Amino acid sequence: MWSCEGLTTKGLIDRKTMYVLGIETSCDETAASVVFAGREVLSNVVVSQIRDHARYGGVVPELASRKHSEVISMVLDTAMEESGIPLEKLAGIAVTRGPGLIGSLLVGIGAAKGIAMALDIPICGVNHVHGHLFAALLEYPSLRFPFVGLVVSGGHTSLYHVKGHHEIQLLGKTRDDAAGEAFDKVAKLLGLGYPGGPTIENRSMGINRIAEPFPQALIEKYNLDFSFSGLKTAVLRRVEKAFGRQYDRGRPGSFHRLVPEVVTEKDVSRINNIAAAFQDSITEVLTTKLFWAAETCGVDTVVVCGGVAVNGSLRRKVREQSRRSSLKAIFPSPGLCTDNAAMIAARGATLISSGMIDDLCFDARSRW
Ligand code: KG4
Ligand code: ZN
């Protein structure tokens, strides 16, 4: 009989022989993946809702949970089929417990509990941010502790001193917007659509000299917190100066499209220059603080993960700095940087093999 008292495990399972199904639904991606031995990705299915949210310029929570409900069964079936293993071989289920949108998280958690119950296997709720941090282990088995990890995505911008699988110390985080959120809001102002990161990166290509740089919000030397609201406002003021306020359909100072629908060639060049200056400033701050953290903790490896870690300018700056300081810089490949379930399954394998499982009554956590 299933109860809230706990799931009876059949003893600790060896991670090296374990097939784990991971499920991720914390924001606008419905994802499922089967990972063998905590390392080998047998399937990695991601259904993105980007097109559903694009017309609203950002993720609409109610719409997100509805879309997860529509596709979760199909995503799970596809992940199992592509893995080539039968359900009975699964040793455990790992599901994102938070942080994230409650309605979205509950869809994944509900599905995970159903499967765990039906198969009588352990389940564990995974911290999404830790999933991002450990995604690097999937591709770099030689990665050794301790390292400093920067998780930089649409919902998070945090630095961690990772001393072991279960020893993760927060060093600093954003005091306001996450870096990805700043990319998305600035792209909205510039009329570049959602999500903002890839479009801002595209528009910045080929602009090698920043004519009018934005200031860098470093707060103070060796401070490992971030703040991007000042940069966002500086961009807003520059866009207002360039295009006026007449196209602003929102409140003054709000992040609505400020450039006209139809633009001249000169306008395009102005937009691209602002995008490039913004990208340059934000990636410079992320890089500087990452290496301050590495220096403070005395580690020889830095890991950059999360959706913004796809950004080419950030990767270049981190690589250059790592060469200068003789540190190793590791980035998961783009598909493992943005939200995915392989990172959740891999993290789950570590937790389950350490006996860190949950009972069937665990809830979703919007914050963690
Ligand atoms: O990790 P992720 O898929 O979801 C969250 O956990 O938030 O990250 C999504 C974020 C979005 O804000 C998106 O604009 C940003 O990652 N992003 C990028 C790039 N690709 C995605 N930011 C900068 N440059 C990119 N190429
Ligand atoms: Zn994420």
Side-chain angles (χ1 to χ4, degrees), residues 344-356:
I344 302 301
R347 181 69 186 147
T350 306
L351 296 174
I352 294 169
S353 60
S354 312
M356 297 168 82

Side-chain angles (χ1 to χ4, degrees), residues 259-308:
V259 305
E261 301 280 346
V262 181
V263 286
T264 63
E265 226 170 88
K266 194 171 154 217
D267 290 336
V268 171
S269 152
R270 277 202 258 177
I271 292 168
N272 295 355
N273 277 294
I274 295 173
F278 163 77
Q279 177 179 270
D280 186 61
S281 167
I282 202 161
T283 53
E284 195 67 40
V285 169
L286 292 169
T287 306
T288 304
K289 298 220 169 202
L290 173 63
F291 285 90
W292 281 352
E295 198 186 324
T296 308
C297 300
V299 298
D300 62 7
T301 306
V302 294
V303 172
V304 188
C305 44
V308 181

Side-chain angles (χ1 to χ4, degrees), residues 24-43:
E24 155 63 36
T25 59
S26 66
C27 190
D28 59 345
E29 265 93 28
T30 318
S33 163
V34 178
V35 169
F36 176 63
R39 288 274 155 87
E40 198 185 328
V41 181
L42 303 183
S43 62

Side-chain angles (χ1 to χ4, degrees), residues 29 128 132 153-156 180-181 183-184 195-198 201 306-308 310-311 337-339:
E29 265 93 28
H128 177 84
H132 274 302
S153 69
H156 319 278
E181 195 180 352
F183 267 99
D184 295 337
E201 178 166 16
V308 181
V310 174
N311 187 275
C337 279
T338 47
D339 285 350

Side-chain angles (χ1 to χ4, degrees), residues 176-196:
D176 37 61
D177 285 346
E181 195 180 352
F183 267 99
D184 295 337
K185 287 181 177 168
V186 165
K188 197 169 182 179
L189 277 183
L190 294 170
L192 299 181
Y194 174 85

